[in-house]
Amino acid sequence: MKKRIFIAIHYLEIGGAETSLIGLLQSIDYSRYEVDLFLYSHRGELMEFVPSQVNLLPEDGTYAHYEEPLVKTMVHGYFSLAARRLWAKVKFRSYVRSHPGCGSYPLHHILAECVLPTMPSLRKYGKYDLAISFLQPHNFVLEKVDAAKKICWIHTDYSSISAVHQDEGRIWGGYDHIVSISDAVSESFVKVFPALKKKLILVHNMLSAEFVKSRSEALSQEEVEKEMPKEEGVVNLLSVGRFCEAKNYDNVPDICRRIVEGGTRVRWYLIGYGSDESLIRQKIRESGMEENVIILGKKSNPYPYMKACDVYVQPSRYEGNSVTVREAQILGRSVVITDYSTARSQVEDGVDGIIVPLENKACAEGLRAFLSNIEKIKETERNLSRRDYTNCREAGFLDNILR
């Protein structure tokens, strides 16, 4: 008899965790497992890549409006949810007053705790052998799903978080296992929650090489070059990700300016979307980089652009384990990443990419030196071709947990 697995995530828009989940779903042995997927909201460019063997559970309006604008939530009649979300904002402001400098991170925990009583039970879907909460908040799977075992995922580098809510450890502790995506993520988590060390298991992000490579062929070279043209003597850099503080795209214009002033001709393309877009555009104008830093916007399929770029750059302030870096490596692109705390879990510096300092001036110098060394770029590309970055064998962790 097949084991029943329940998996929950917010939606399947383009993002590292979402892409990793697709990799997991494509790696599962469906002759042995029956998988129900619960999306809070049935939206996102990655939905079409959910394997046909997966049972997509119906959308629930309360969960779908968990992150919608408050006005939209009330217009659709979810008044109790809206009231609890307002209450969460009040509690968060009070928390900030008593914990100055805590940042915005505790809001996620406070919000989930406040809305929990109004979120419908998911026990109507029966008893599962395993329930997986793939992305925070983990409160809902813990409290609303009936399962013999429950596990949740950490995608966050806790060394980058200024403060966590004092109650958060209780939620993590309610799970049988906590899945970490890298050793560095585990180390930062244990520093904050040392009592939970024994619950940690390591499962690297799973990616399908076939998926990434086939999608990279979806556009012709001519179609890509309309937006990312090739020009002799100009190096095309690419970064993909949400326009948010973590990705550090607001510093890209200044870094690019320094590279150009150093004598290296580059165009740096940004694919993504998010709240920092207006800030990034402002920084482009202030740096005079309108011709050198180009925002391509949101792309449902960034892989043809990854394949076509000369060098992929991840300039992040912090990362758990960047999926886009792995995707670029799968496509054989040389990668340059900043020295965030988990960087060495993704790149062997000087072998399959390089790691540069985060500070703008030093970052620009490191990037320019690499771009000027054609032999080094070719060497890293050769090394990439000899390695497997998919981690698809990691799906075996399900056997160990359910054994």
Side-chain angles (χ1 to χ4, degrees), residues 257-300:
R257 176 184 62 80
R258 295 172 185 272
I259 294 171
V260 171
E261 288 178 353
T264 302
R265 299 174 65 198
V266 300
R267 287 200 189 96
W268 196 329
Y269 293 90
L270 303 179
I271 290 178
Y273 65 100
S275 57
D276 276 6
E277 181 169 345
S278 59
L279 174 62
I280 298 166
R281 292 189 183 279
Q282 176 189 329
K283 297 289 186 180
I284 290 172
R285 291 191 297 271
E286 290 174 357
S287 300
M289 286 287 104
E290 291 91 341
E291 299 298 319
N292 301 87
V293 179
I294 296 100
I295 294 177
L296 296 180
K298 188 176 183 180
K299 299 289 184 187
S300 60

Side-chain angles (χ1 to χ4, degrees), residues 323-337:
V323 171
T324 53
V325 169
R326 283 285 179 256
E327 291 168 334
Q329 289 170 324
I330 287 171
L331 291 172
R333 294 301 90 199
S334 291
V335 297
V336 177
I337 66 175

